[in-house]
Amino acid sequence: MSNSIVLFGSPGSGKGTQAKLLKRCLQVPHISTGDMLRERIAQGTELGIRVAAKMHAGVLVLDEVVNGMVSARLGERDAADGFILDGYPRTTPQAHFLSDWLDERGIREVVIHLAVDYNSIIARLTGRRQCPRCGTLYNIVSRPPKVRDDDREEVIRERLNAYDRQTRPVLDYYRTAGRRLLEVDASSDPPEKVFDKICQAIDVHDCAQDAR
């Protein structure tokens, strides 16, 4: 069993929820490149300003910038016994860089792909709303909030298409490179059931109950 996990999932796949459950279970850091980039933007550093411009334009941040952030973070003490990578790698050059970095240190990662049906995702995301300030969850029927532009179906479909263009080639790389890739169906089951599937796949016993 490996505590070094690369977690893949399209928008709306429940990737963030599973990362939190895995963190609680495995007692290793959840490393989100999105969080790291937003932190640098909030700090107003020169790097943060450049990153903000790219993210606002919908352009991926340069591979070398993200690679540098991730390798530095993985080198920190709390990641010595494992990690959960979320949102990285996003490109095949990033995947090659990560594989080389791990191989040099004798670390064998497990890539977990939360496979979902896109129609299920669209129904899930268009019916769910969350306040960006306080985090309050709403339902369009029982607690309807103001609908944002990024909740519209056409916007969600474009996000999913972008995920396909950017990330599917990374999964193809892992499939052909001999890395350990596990496909977990996350289309319709509740988060707890999906987590059970992940625990079984990575051979972690009695973990699902403890993580809840």
Side-chain angles (χ1 to χ4, degrees):
M1 184 271 292
S2 173
N3 286 345
S4 301
I5 292 174
V6 178
L7 189 61
F8 271 91
S10 63
S13 65
K15 180 163 50 75
T17 298
Q18 297 306 319
K20 290 181 177 65
L21 292 172
L22 284 165
K23 176 183 178 180
R24 231 177 286 163
C25 165
L26 301 176
Q27 297 296 301
V28 296
H30 168 206
I31 300 173
S32 164
T33 50
D35 289 346
M36 287 195 292
L37 290 170
R38 284 186 286 272
E39 180 181 341
R40 282 155 178 76
I41 292 171
Q43 291 170 347
T45 63
E46 182 180 349
L47 174 60
I49 293 170
R50 294 202 309 269
V51 165
K54 285 188 174 293
M55 292 177 72
H56 182 71
V59 178
L60 286 179
V61 180
L62 292 176
D63 289 336
E64 54 263 36
V65 172
V66 184
N67 290 340
M69 286 196 314
V70 170
S71 59
R73 181 65 183 89
L74 293 180
E76 293 182 16
R77 193 170 187 175
D78 65 337
D81 293 327
F83 52 82
I84 301 158
L85 267 177
D86 172 4
Y88 178 92
R90 291 283 297 273
T91 67
T92 47
Q94 290 177 14
H96 281 283
F97 175 87
L98 178 63
S99 294
D100 290 343
W101 193 94
L102 296 175
D103 288 346
E104 288 172 6
R105 290 155 181 81
I107 301 172
R108 299 299 296 172
E109 83 281 25
V110 178
V111 181
I112 299 176
H113 177 219
L114 299 179
V116 291
D117 174 72
Y118 281 2
N119 289 326
S120 298
I121 288 182
I122 291 168
R124 188 183 305 171
L125 292 183
T126 54
R128 184 188 66 184
R129 305 287 185 268
Q130 184 174 23
C131 175
R133 294 186 178 181
C134 69
T136 301
L137 287 172
Y138 296 89
N139 181 275
I140 58 174
V141 176
S142 59
R143 294 185 70 189
K146 181 179 178 180
V147 178
R148 303 188 313 272
D149 283 344
D150 58 1
D151 293 320
R152 290 183 290 113
E153 179 175 337
E154 57 267 34
V155 175
I156 293 171
R157 284 193 183 277
E158 177 50 38
R159 288 173 62 197
L160 294 174
N161 288 336
Y163 172 81
D164 264 341
R165 292 192 300 269
Q166 296 165 358
T167 311
R168 290 286 176 178
V170 179
L171 292 173
D172 291 339
Y173 159 76
Y174 280 121
R175 289 189 181 101
T176 58
R179 318 301 288 197
R180 189 181 178 197
L181 173 64
L182 303 175
E183 300 273 358
V184 176
D185 184 2
S187 291
S188 56
D189 289 323
E192 295 80 9
K193 180 64 176 175
V194 174
F195 184 62
D196 287 341
K197 292 180 184 179
I198 294 174
C199 290
Q200 292 171 13
I202 63 176
D203 196 23
V204 177
H205 301 290
D206 301 322
C207 184
Q209 176 117 16
D210 295 339
R212 291 170 190 153

